Amino acid sequence: MTPAELDNTFNALADPTRRAILARLMQGEATVMELAKPFAMSQPAISKHLKVLERAGLISRGREAQKRPCRLEVTRFAEATSWLEPFQKRLEGNYRRLDTLVDLLKAGTT
C-alpha cells in the first residue's frame, strides 16, 4: 500500500457518515438511494461520500440496468489491517510486560 493509498483509506474512514455507510454495506450491496435513506442529507451529498470511499478503494459500484449497487472491497481493508498489525503487536507486548510488572508489585517483589 502506497503512502497516498494509506492516506486516502484513513481519510475516508475518518468521517462518521462514511463509516456508517461502510457498516451498512457489511449487510450486503445497496443502491445510493438505499444508502441515503437513514441520513438527513441529499442524494448528491451521499454520492460525494461514496466517491471518497470509492477513490480509497473501500467500495466499488457495479451496474445492473438502471441501478449502480455499491459493495465493500475487502482488499483495501486487508491492506489497512496489515499496516496496523505491527502497531497492535507492539502495544500488546507492552501491555503484557506491564501486566507482569503489576503482578510482581502485587506479590511484593520487584
PDB file of all heavy atoms in Angstrom, residues 60-95:
ATOM      1  N   SER A  60     -16.806  -0.484  -4.276  1.00  0.00           N
ATOM      2  CA  SER A  60     -16.900  -0.404  -5.736  1.00  0.00           C
ATOM      3  C   SER A  60     -18.371  -0.297  -6.088  1.00  0.00           C
ATOM      4  O   SER A  60     -19.240  -0.627  -5.280  1.00  0.00           O
ATOM      5  CB  SER A  60     -16.266  -1.627  -6.397  1.00  0.00           C
ATOM      6  OG  SER A  60     -16.955  -2.796  -6.026  1.00  0.00           O
ATOM      7  N   ARG A  61     -18.618   0.180  -7.293  1.00  0.00           N
ATOM      8  CA  ARG A  61     -20.007   0.302  -7.764  1.00  0.00           C
ATOM      9  C   ARG A  61     -20.152  -0.502  -9.040  1.00  0.00           C
ATOM     10  O   ARG A  61     -19.347  -0.384  -9.958  1.00  0.00           O
ATOM     11  CB  ARG A  61     -20.361   1.766  -8.031  1.00  0.00           C
ATOM     12  CG  ARG A  61     -20.390   2.590  -6.764  1.00  0.00           C
ATOM     13  CD  ARG A  61     -21.130   3.855  -6.962  1.00  0.00           C
ATOM     14  NE  ARG A  61     -20.259   5.005  -6.764  1.00  0.00           N
ATOM     15  CZ  ARG A  61     -20.697   6.242  -6.722  1.00  0.00           C
ATOM     16  NH1 ARG A  61     -21.963   6.517  -6.916  1.00  0.00           N
ATOM     17  NH2 ARG A  61     -19.862   7.228  -6.530  1.00  0.00           N
ATOM     18  N   GLY A  62     -21.186  -1.311  -9.063  1.00  0.00           N
ATOM     19  CA  GLY A  62     -21.472  -2.115 -10.241  1.00  0.00           C
ATOM     20  C   GLY A  62     -22.531  -1.463 -11.098  1.00  0.00           C
ATOM     21  O   GLY A  62     -22.900  -0.305 -10.883  1.00  0.00           O
ATOM     22  N   ARG A  63     -23.000  -2.206 -12.085  1.00  0.00           N
ATOM     23  CA  ARG A  63     -24.058  -1.717 -12.952  1.00  0.00           C
ATOM     24  C   ARG A  63     -25.043  -2.847 -13.208  1.00  0.00           C
ATOM     25  O   ARG A  63     -24.686  -3.888 -13.712  1.00  0.00           O
ATOM     26  CB  ARG A  63     -23.460  -1.279 -14.282  1.00  0.00           C
ATOM     27  CG  ARG A  63     -23.982   0.045 -14.744  1.00  0.00           C
ATOM     28  CD  ARG A  63     -23.330   0.471 -16.036  1.00  0.00           C
ATOM     29  NE  ARG A  63     -22.417   1.566 -15.878  1.00  0.00           N
ATOM     30  CZ  ARG A  63     -22.788   2.833 -15.735  1.00  0.00           C
ATOM     31  NH1 ARG A  63     -24.062   3.137 -15.735  1.00  0.00           N
ATOM     32  NH2 ARG A  63     -21.913   3.781 -15.625  1.00  0.00           N
ATOM     33  N   GLU A  64     -26.267  -2.590 -12.791  1.00  0.00           N
ATOM     34  CA  GLU A  64     -27.358  -3.540 -13.035  1.00  0.00           C
ATOM     35  C   GLU A  64     -28.527  -2.736 -13.578  1.00  0.00           C
ATOM     36  O   GLU A  64     -29.256  -2.109 -12.829  1.00  0.00           O
ATOM     37  CB  GLU A  64     -27.758  -4.245 -11.736  1.00  0.00           C
ATOM     38  CG  GLU A  64     -26.696  -5.155 -11.173  1.00  0.00           C
ATOM     39  CD  GLU A  64     -27.082  -5.753  -9.833  1.00  0.00           C
ATOM     40  OE1 GLU A  64     -28.249  -5.590  -9.408  1.00  0.00           O
ATOM     41  OE2 GLU A  64     -26.220  -6.370  -9.210  1.00  0.00           O
ATOM     42  N   ALA A  65     -28.679  -2.734 -14.869  1.00  0.00           N
ATOM     43  CA  ALA A  65     -29.725  -1.940 -15.544  1.00  0.00           C
ATOM     44  C   ALA A  65     -29.580  -0.473 -15.132  1.00  0.00           C
ATOM     45  O   ALA A  65     -28.552   0.123 -15.386  1.00  0.00           O
ATOM     46  CB  ALA A  65     -31.104  -2.489 -15.245  1.00  0.00           C
ATOM     47  N   GLN A  66     -30.575   0.098 -14.471  1.00  0.00           N
ATOM     48  CA  GLN A  66     -30.537   1.494 -14.054  1.00  0.00           C
ATOM     49  C   GLN A  66     -29.837   1.678 -12.709  1.00  0.00           C
ATOM     50  O   GLN A  66     -29.529   2.788 -12.336  1.00  0.00           O
ATOM     51  CB  GLN A  66     -31.967   2.057 -13.949  1.00  0.00           C
ATOM     52  CG  GLN A  66     -32.765   1.952 -15.224  1.00  0.00           C
ATOM     53  CD  GLN A  66     -32.223   2.875 -16.303  1.00  0.00           C
ATOM     54  OE1 GLN A  66     -31.120   2.678 -16.802  1.00  0.00           O
ATOM     55  NE2 GLN A  66     -32.995   3.888 -16.640  1.00  0.00           N
ATOM     56  N   LYS A  67     -29.624   0.593 -11.993  1.00  0.00           N
ATOM     57  CA  LYS A  67     -29.046   0.666 -10.659  1.00  0.00           C
ATOM     58  C   LYS A  67     -27.524   0.594 -10.708  1.00  0.00           C
ATOM     59  O   LYS A  67     -26.950   0.012 -11.610  1.00  0.00           O
ATOM     60  CB  LYS A  67     -29.552  -0.481  -9.786  1.00  0.00           C
ATOM     61  CG  LYS A  67     -31.021  -0.420  -9.478  1.00  0.00           C
ATOM     62  CD  LYS A  67     -31.379  -1.575  -8.576  1.00  0.00           C
ATOM     63  CE  LYS A  67     -32.868  -1.597  -8.283  1.00  0.00           C
ATOM     64  NZ  LYS A  67     -33.217  -2.724  -7.436  1.00  0.00           N
ATOM     65  N   ARG A  68     -26.905   1.198  -9.707  1.00  0.00           N
ATOM     66  CA  ARG A  68     -25.456   1.093  -9.527  1.00  0.00           C
ATOM     67  C   ARG A  68     -25.189   0.674  -8.084  1.00  0.00           C
ATOM     68  O   ARG A  68     -24.869   1.510  -7.248  1.00  0.00           O
ATOM     69  CB  ARG A  68     -24.785   2.431  -9.829  1.00  0.00           C
ATOM     70  CG  ARG A  68     -24.885   2.782 -11.299  1.00  0.00           C
ATOM     71  CD  ARG A  68     -23.855   3.731 -11.711  1.00  0.00           C
ATOM     72  NE  ARG A  68     -22.541   3.333 -11.211  1.00  0.00           N
ATOM     73  CZ  ARG A  68     -21.433   3.904 -11.542  1.00  0.00           C
ATOM     74  NH1 ARG A  68     -21.414   4.901 -12.357  1.00  0.00           N
ATOM     75  NH2 ARG A  68     -20.278   3.508 -11.039  1.00  0.00           N
ATOM     76  N   PRO A  69     -25.363  -0.616  -7.795  1.00  0.00           N
ATOM     77  CA  PRO A  69     -25.184  -1.064  -6.418  1.00  0.00           C
ATOM     78  C   PRO A  69     -23.743  -0.897  -5.936  1.00  0.00           C
ATOM     79  O   PRO A  69     -22.794  -1.067  -6.700  1.00  0.00           O
ATOM     80  CB  PRO A  69     -25.582  -2.541  -6.458  1.00  0.00           C
ATOM     81  CG  PRO A  69     -25.406  -2.942  -7.874  1.00  0.00           C
ATOM     82  CD  PRO A  69     -25.651  -1.719  -8.700  1.00  0.00           C
ATOM     83  N   CYS A  70     -23.610  -0.537  -4.664  1.00  0.00           N
ATOM     84  CA  CYS A  70     -22.303  -0.380  -4.026  1.00  0.00           C
ATOM     85  C   CYS A  70     -22.012  -1.630  -3.217  1.00  0.00           C
ATOM     86  O   CYS A  70     -22.912  -2.231  -2.642  1.00  0.00           O
ATOM     87  CB  CYS A  70     -22.316   0.833  -3.098  1.00  0.00           C
ATOM     88  SG  CYS A  70     -22.679   2.376  -3.929  1.00  0.00           S
ATOM     89  N   ARG A  71     -20.739  -1.981  -3.158  1.00  0.00           N
ATOM     90  CA  ARG A  71     -20.326  -3.143  -2.362  1.00  0.00           C
ATOM     91  C   ARG A  71     -18.965  -2.871  -1.741  1.00  0.00           C
ATOM     92  O   ARG A  71     -18.193  -2.069  -2.251  1.00  0.00           O
ATOM     93  CB  ARG A  71     -20.294  -4.401  -3.204  1.00  0.00           C
ATOM     94  CG  ARG A  71     -19.234  -4.424  -4.275  1.00  0.00           C
ATOM     95  CD  ARG A  71     -19.302  -5.653  -5.178  1.00  0.00           C
ATOM     96  NE  ARG A  71     -20.527  -5.747  -5.930  1.00  0.00           N
ATOM     97  CZ  ARG A  71     -20.776  -5.116  -7.073  1.00  0.00           C
ATOM     98  NH1 ARG A  71     -19.875  -4.328  -7.600  1.00  0.00           N
ATOM     99  NH2 ARG A  71     -21.920  -5.255  -7.684  1.00  0.00           N
ATOM    100  N   LEU A  72     -18.692  -3.538  -0.630  1.00  0.00           N
ATOM    101  CA  LEU A  72     -17.397  -3.412   0.029  1.00  0.00           C
ATOM    102  C   LEU A  72     -16.313  -4.094  -0.790  1.00  0.00           C
ATOM    103  O   LEU A  72     -16.568  -5.101  -1.452  1.00  0.00           O
ATOM    104  CB  LEU A  72     -17.434  -4.068   1.412  1.00  0.00           C
ATOM    105  CG  LEU A  72     -18.257  -3.379   2.490  1.00  0.00           C
ATOM    106  CD1 LEU A  72     -18.241  -4.223   3.757  1.00  0.00           C
ATOM    107  CD2 LEU A  72     -17.740  -1.990   2.776  1.00  0.00           C
ATOM    108  N   GLU A  73     -15.112  -3.560  -0.709  1.00  0.00           N
ATOM    109  CA  GLU A  73     -13.938  -4.168  -1.330  1.00  0.00           C
ATOM    110  C   GLU A  73     -12.991  -4.585  -0.210  1.00  0.00           C
ATOM    111  O   GLU A  73     -12.401  -3.739   0.459  1.00  0.00           O
ATOM    112  CB  GLU A  73     -13.253  -3.179  -2.285  1.00  0.00           C
ATOM    113  CG  GLU A  73     -14.025  -2.923  -3.543  1.00  0.00           C
ATOM    114  CD  GLU A  73     -14.191  -4.169  -4.406  1.00  0.00           C
ATOM    115  OE1 GLU A  73     -13.285  -5.034  -4.421  1.00  0.00           O
ATOM    116  OE2 GLU A  73     -15.239  -4.274  -5.060  1.00  0.00           O
ATOM    117  N   VAL A  74     -12.851  -5.870   0.001  1.00  0.00           N
ATOM    118  CA  VAL A  74     -12.104  -6.375   1.148  1.00  0.00           C
ATOM    119  C   VAL A  74     -10.596  -6.146   1.047  1.00  0.00           C
ATOM    120  O   VAL A  74      -9.925  -6.048   2.069  1.00  0.00           O
ATOM    121  CB  VAL A  74     -12.391  -7.874   1.398  1.00  0.00           C
ATOM    122  CG1 VAL A  74     -13.839  -8.083   1.762  1.00  0.00           C
ATOM    123  CG2 VAL A  74     -12.020  -8.708   0.200  1.00  0.00           C
ATOM    124  N   THR A  75     -10.070  -6.039  -0.148  1.00  0.00           N
ATOM    125  CA  THR A  75      -8.627  -5.919  -0.318  1.00  0.00           C
ATOM    126  C   THR A  75      -8.057  -4.718   0.421  1.00  0.00           C
ATOM    127  O   THR A  75      -7.071  -4.831   1.143  1.00  0.00           O
ATOM    128  CB  THR A  75      -8.265  -5.842  -1.815  1.00  0.00           C
ATOM    129  OG1 THR A  75      -8.769  -7.000  -2.461  1.00  0.00           O
ATOM    130  CG2 THR A  75      -6.764  -5.759  -2.013  1.00  0.00           C
ATOM    131  N   ARG A  76      -8.684  -3.555   0.265  1.00  0.00           N
ATOM    132  CA  ARG A  76      -8.154  -2.354   0.915  1.00  0.00           C
ATOM    133  C   ARG A  76      -8.241  -2.457   2.431  1.00  0.00           C
ATOM    134  O   ARG A  76      -7.365  -2.009   3.152  1.00  0.00           O
ATOM    135  CB  ARG A  76      -8.874  -1.113   0.403  1.00  0.00           C
ATOM    136  CG  ARG A  76      -8.281   0.207   0.812  1.00  0.00           C
ATOM    137  CD  ARG A  76      -6.774   0.352   0.511  1.00  0.00           C
ATOM    138  NE  ARG A  76      -6.387  -0.025  -0.800  1.00  0.00           N
ATOM    139  CZ  ARG A  76      -6.218   0.784  -1.841  1.00  0.00           C
ATOM    140  NH1 ARG A  76      -6.397   2.057  -1.702  1.00  0.00           N
ATOM    141  NH2 ARG A  76      -5.850   0.322  -3.000  1.00  0.00           N
ATOM    142  N   PHE A  77      -9.308  -3.083   2.940  1.00  0.00           N
ATOM    143  CA  PHE A  77      -9.422  -3.287   4.384  1.00  0.00           C
ATOM    144  C   PHE A  77      -8.305  -4.199   4.875  1.00  0.00           C
ATOM    145  O   PHE A  77      -7.715  -3.951   5.928  1.00  0.00           O
ATOM    146  CB  PHE A  77     -10.790  -3.890   4.741  1.00  0.00           C
ATOM    147  CG  PHE A  77     -11.921  -2.907   4.665  1.00  0.00           C
ATOM    148  CD1 PHE A  77     -12.728  -2.854   3.536  1.00  0.00           C
ATOM    149  CD2 PHE A  77     -12.179  -2.032   5.702  1.00  0.00           C
ATOM    150  CE1 PHE A  77     -13.774  -1.950   3.456  1.00  0.00           C
ATOM    151  CE2 PHE A  77     -13.223  -1.121   5.641  1.00  0.00           C
ATOM    152  CZ  PHE A  77     -14.019  -1.077   4.504  1.00  0.00           C
ATOM    153  N   ALA A  78      -8.012  -5.238   4.120  1.00  0.00           N
ATOM    154  CA  ALA A  78      -6.935  -6.163   4.494  1.00  0.00           C
ATOM    155  C   ALA A  78      -5.588  -5.444   4.485  1.00  0.00           C
ATOM    156  O   ALA A  78      -4.749  -5.670   5.374  1.00  0.00           O
ATOM    157  CB  ALA A  78      -6.913  -7.356   3.543  1.00  0.00           C
ATOM    158  N   GLU A  79      -5.368  -4.576   3.507  1.00  0.00           N
ATOM    159  CA  GLU A  79      -4.110  -3.830   3.442  1.00  0.00           C
ATOM    160  C   GLU A  79      -3.970  -2.877   4.627  1.00  0.00           C
ATOM    161  O   GLU A  79      -2.889  -2.762   5.211  1.00  0.00           O
ATOM    162  CB  GLU A  79      -4.026  -3.057   2.124  1.00  0.00           C
ATOM    163  CG  GLU A  79      -3.868  -3.947   0.919  1.00  0.00           C
ATOM    164  CD  GLU A  79      -4.053  -3.205  -0.409  1.00  0.00           C
ATOM    165  OE1 GLU A  79      -4.531  -2.053  -0.407  1.00  0.00           O
ATOM    166  OE2 GLU A  79      -3.717  -3.801  -1.441  1.00  0.00           O
ATOM    167  N   ALA A  80      -5.047  -2.206   4.990  1.00  0.00           N
ATOM    168  CA  ALA A  80      -5.011  -1.290   6.138  1.00  0.00           C
ATOM    169  C   ALA A  80      -4.767  -2.077   7.428  1.00  0.00           C
ATOM    170  O   ALA A  80      -3.988  -1.649   8.284  1.00  0.00           O
ATOM    171  CB  ALA A  80      -6.305  -0.492   6.225  1.00  0.00           C
ATOM    172  N   THR A  81      -5.398  -3.228   7.554  1.00  0.00           N
ATOM    173  CA  THR A  81      -5.201  -4.072   8.731  1.00  0.00           C
ATOM    174  C   THR A  81      -3.752  -4.536   8.813  1.00  0.00           C
ATOM    175  O   THR A  81      -3.152  -4.522   9.896  1.00  0.00           O
ATOM    176  CB  THR A  81      -6.155  -5.277   8.692  1.00  0.00           C
ATOM    177  OG1 THR A  81      -7.496  -4.785   8.670  1.00  0.00           O
ATOM    178  CG2 THR A  81      -5.970  -6.187   9.883  1.00  0.00           C
ATOM    179  N   SER A  82      -3.176  -4.918   7.688  1.00  0.00           N
ATOM    180  CA  SER A  82      -1.770  -5.342   7.661  1.00  0.00           C
ATOM    181  C   SER A  82      -0.844  -4.208   8.081  1.00  0.00           C
ATOM    182  O   SER A  82       0.154  -4.433   8.759  1.00  0.00           O
ATOM    183  CB  SER A  82      -1.377  -5.835   6.268  1.00  0.00           C
ATOM    184  OG  SER A  82      -2.054  -7.016   5.970  1.00  0.00           O
ATOM    185  N   TRP A  83      -1.171  -2.991   7.679  1.00  0.00           N
ATOM    186  CA  TRP A  83      -0.355  -1.845   8.054  1.00  0.00           C
ATOM    187  C   TRP A  83      -0.445  -1.588   9.565  1.00  0.00           C
ATOM    188  O   TRP A  83       0.539  -1.228  10.206  1.00  0.00           O
ATOM    189  CB  TRP A  83      -0.796  -0.601   7.276  1.00  0.00           C
ATOM    190  CG  TRP A  83       0.096   0.565   7.509  1.00  0.00           C
ATOM    191  CD1 TRP A  83       1.255   0.859   6.865  1.00  0.00           C
ATOM    192  CD2 TRP A  83      -0.088   1.605   8.484  1.00  0.00           C
ATOM    193  NE1 TRP A  83       1.800   2.015   7.370  1.00  0.00           N
ATOM    194  CE2 TRP A  83       0.997   2.492   8.368  1.00  0.00           C
ATOM    195  CE3 TRP A  83      -1.063   1.866   9.435  1.00  0.00           C
ATOM    196  CZ2 TRP A  83       1.135   3.614   9.166  1.00  0.00           C
ATOM    197  CZ3 TRP A  83      -0.926   2.990  10.241  1.00  0.00           C
ATOM    198  CH2 TRP A  83       0.159   3.848  10.092  1.00  0.00           C
ATOM    199  N   LEU A  84      -1.630  -1.780  10.149  1.00  0.00           N
ATOM    200  CA  LEU A  84      -1.848  -1.532  11.575  1.00  0.00           C
ATOM    201  C   LEU A  84      -1.317  -2.648  12.477  1.00  0.00           C
ATOM    202  O   LEU A  84      -1.011  -2.421  13.646  1.00  0.00           O
ATOM    203  CB  LEU A  84      -3.341  -1.345  11.850  1.00  0.00           C
ATOM    204  CG  LEU A  84      -3.967  -0.057  11.353  1.00  0.00           C
ATOM    205  CD1 LEU A  84      -5.481  -0.139  11.436  1.00  0.00           C
ATOM    206  CD2 LEU A  84      -3.445   1.132  12.136  1.00  0.00           C
ATOM    207  N   GLU A  85      -1.202  -3.837  11.947  1.00  0.00           N
ATOM    208  CA  GLU A  85      -0.861  -5.016  12.737  1.00  0.00           C
ATOM    209  C   GLU A  85       0.429  -4.878  13.551  1.00  0.00           C
ATOM    210  O   GLU A  85       0.445  -5.226  14.742  1.00  0.00           O
ATOM    211  CB  GLU A  85      -0.791  -6.247  11.834  1.00  0.00           C
ATOM    212  CG  GLU A  85      -0.867  -7.551  12.578  1.00  0.00           C
ATOM    213  CD  GLU A  85      -1.031  -8.696  11.597  1.00  0.00           C
ATOM    214  OE1 GLU A  85      -2.061  -8.747  10.909  1.00  0.00           O
ATOM    215  OE2 GLU A  85      -0.110  -9.519  11.534  1.00  0.00           O
ATOM    216  N   PRO A  86       1.534  -4.376  12.997  1.00  0.00           N
ATOM    217  CA  PRO A  86       2.751  -4.240  13.816  1.00  0.00           C
ATOM    218  C   PRO A  86       2.561  -3.324  15.026  1.00  0.00           C
ATOM    219  O   PRO A  86       3.133  -3.569  16.086  1.00  0.00           O
ATOM    220  CB  PRO A  86       3.786  -3.643  12.846  1.00  0.00           C
ATOM    221  CG  PRO A  86       3.274  -3.936  11.488  1.00  0.00           C
ATOM    222  CD  PRO A  86       1.779  -3.995  11.608  1.00  0.00           C
ATOM    223  N   PHE A  87       1.748  -2.280  14.872  1.00  0.00           N
ATOM    224  CA  PHE A  87       1.468  -1.391  15.995  1.00  0.00           C
ATOM    225  C   PHE A  87       0.712  -2.146  17.091  1.00  0.00           C
ATOM    226  O   PHE A  87       1.005  -2.008  18.277  1.00  0.00           O
ATOM    227  CB  PHE A  87       0.655  -0.177  15.535  1.00  0.00           C
ATOM    228  CG  PHE A  87       1.393   0.697  14.567  1.00  0.00           C
ATOM    229  CD1 PHE A  87       1.226   0.518  13.208  1.00  0.00           C
ATOM    230  CD2 PHE A  87       2.262   1.678  15.016  1.00  0.00           C
ATOM    231  CE1 PHE A  87       1.911   1.322  12.301  1.00  0.00           C
ATOM    232  CE2 PHE A  87       2.953   2.484  14.121  1.00  0.00           C
ATOM    233  CZ  PHE A  87       2.779   2.295  12.758  1.00  0.00           C
ATOM    234  N   GLN A  88      -0.268  -2.929  16.671  1.00  0.00           N
ATOM    235  CA  GLN A  88      -1.059  -3.693  17.621  1.00  0.00           C
ATOM    236  C   GLN A  88      -0.183  -4.688  18.369  1.00  0.00           C
ATOM    237  O   GLN A  88      -0.271  -4.811  19.594  1.00  0.00           O
ATOM    238  CB  GLN A  88      -2.194  -4.423  16.908  1.00  0.00           C
ATOM    239  CG  GLN A  88      -3.066  -5.236  17.844  1.00  0.00           C
ATOM    240  CD  GLN A  88      -4.175  -5.981  17.124  1.00  0.00           C
ATOM    241  OE1 GLN A  88      -4.340  -5.860  15.920  1.00  0.00           O
ATOM    242  NE2 GLN A  88      -4.928  -6.752  17.858  1.00  0.00           N
ATOM    243  N   LYS A  89       0.687  -5.387  17.651  1.00  0.00           N
ATOM    244  CA  LYS A  89       1.557  -6.377  18.289  1.00  0.00           C
ATOM    245  C   LYS A  89       2.497  -5.709  19.285  1.00  0.00           C
ATOM    246  O   LYS A  89       2.733  -6.226  20.375  1.00  0.00           O
ATOM    247  CB  LYS A  89       2.341  -7.147  17.234  1.00  0.00           C
ATOM    248  CG  LYS A  89       1.490  -8.147  16.487  1.00  0.00           C
ATOM    249  CD  LYS A  89       2.282  -8.919  15.482  1.00  0.00           C
ATOM    250  CE  LYS A  89       1.358  -9.904  14.769  1.00  0.00           C
ATOM    251  NZ  LYS A  89       2.055 -10.699  13.777  1.00  0.00           N
ATOM    252  N   ARG A  90       3.035  -4.559  18.909  1.00  0.00           N
ATOM    253  CA  ARG A  90       3.932  -3.832  19.810  1.00  0.00           C
ATOM    254  C   ARG A  90       3.199  -3.414  21.085  1.00  0.00           C
ATOM    255  O   ARG A  90       3.710  -3.573  22.196  1.00  0.00           O
ATOM    256  CB  ARG A  90       4.496  -2.617  19.077  1.00  0.00           C
ATOM    257  CG  ARG A  90       5.341  -1.693  19.904  1.00  0.00           C
ATOM    258  CD  ARG A  90       6.657  -2.372  20.273  1.00  0.00           C
ATOM    259  NE  ARG A  90       7.445  -1.532  21.128  1.00  0.00           N
ATOM    260  CZ  ARG A  90       8.554  -0.939  20.760  1.00  0.00           C
ATOM    261  NH1 ARG A  90       9.025  -1.109  19.550  1.00  0.00           N
ATOM    262  NH2 ARG A  90       9.213  -0.200  21.616  1.00  0.00           N
ATOM    263  N   LEU A  91       2.003  -2.872  20.925  1.00  0.00           N
ATOM    264  CA  LEU A  91       1.236  -2.434  22.092  1.00  0.00           C
ATOM    265  C   LEU A  91       0.834  -3.612  22.979  1.00  0.00           C
ATOM    266  O   LEU A  91       0.872  -3.520  24.206  1.00  0.00           O
ATOM    267  CB  LEU A  91       0.009  -1.640  21.657  1.00  0.00           C
ATOM    268  CG  LEU A  91       0.318  -0.281  21.031  1.00  0.00           C
ATOM    269  CD1 LEU A  91      -0.942   0.332  20.450  1.00  0.00           C
ATOM    270  CD2 LEU A  91       0.953   0.645  22.043  1.00  0.00           C
ATOM    271  N   GLU A  92       0.458  -4.726  22.364  1.00  0.00           N
ATOM    272  CA  GLU A  92       0.107  -5.910  23.146  1.00  0.00           C
ATOM    273  C   GLU A  92       1.301  -6.391  23.962  1.00  0.00           C
ATOM    274  O   GLU A  92       1.155  -6.786  25.123  1.00  0.00           O
ATOM    275  CB  GLU A  92      -0.404  -7.022  22.230  1.00  0.00           C
ATOM    276  CG  GLU A  92      -1.797  -6.770  21.708  1.00  0.00           C
ATOM    277  CD  GLU A  92      -2.233  -7.773  20.645  1.00  0.00           C
ATOM    278  OE1 GLU A  92      -1.406  -8.621  20.210  1.00  0.00           O
ATOM    279  OE2 GLU A  92      -3.400  -7.708  20.237  1.00  0.00           O
ATOM    280  N   GLY A  93       2.503  -6.340  23.366  1.00  0.00           N
ATOM    281  CA  GLY A  93       3.727  -6.708  24.094  1.00  0.00           C
ATOM    282  C   GLY A  93       3.966  -5.777  25.263  1.00  0.00           C
ATOM    283  O   GLY A  93       4.342  -6.217  26.364  1.00  0.00           O
ATOM    284  N   ASN A  94       3.752  -4.477  25.056  1.00  0.00           N
ATOM    285  CA  ASN A  94       3.907  -3.506  26.141  1.00  0.00           C
ATOM    286  C   ASN A  94       2.925  -3.792  27.267  1.00  0.00           C
ATOM    287  O   ASN A  94       3.292  -3.727  28.443  1.00  0.00           O
ATOM    288  CB  ASN A  94       3.690  -2.079  25.628  1.00  0.00           C
ATOM    289  CG  ASN A  94       4.808  -1.608  24.733  1.00  0.00           C
ATOM    290  OD1 ASN A  94       5.873  -2.228  24.659  1.00  0.00           O
ATOM    291  ND2 ASN A  94       4.573  -0.518  24.030  1.00  0.00           N
ATOM    292  N   TYR A  95       1.677  -4.109  26.936  1.00  0.00           N
ATOM    293  CA  TYR A  95       0.667  -4.407  27.956  1.00  0.00           C
ATOM    294  C   TYR A  95       1.012  -5.686  28.718  1.00  0.00           C
ATOM    295  O   TYR A  95       0.821  -5.768  29.933  1.00  0.00           O
ATOM    296  CB  TYR A  95      -0.733  -4.504  27.346  1.00  0.00           C
ATOM    297  CG  TYR A  95      -1.281  -3.173  26.903  1.00  0.00           C
ATOM    298  CD1 TYR A  95      -1.860  -3.025  25.650  1.00  0.00           C
ATOM    299  CD2 TYR A  95      -1.219  -2.056  27.727  1.00  0.00           C
ATOM    300  CE1 TYR A  95      -2.364  -1.793  25.232  1.00  0.00           C
ATOM    301  CE2 TYR A  95      -1.720  -0.827  27.321  1.00  0.00           C
ATOM    302  CZ  TYR A  95      -2.285  -0.706  26.075  1.00  0.00           C
ATOM    303  OH  TYR A  95      -2.777   0.507  25.661  1.00  0.00           O
TER     304      TYR A  95
END
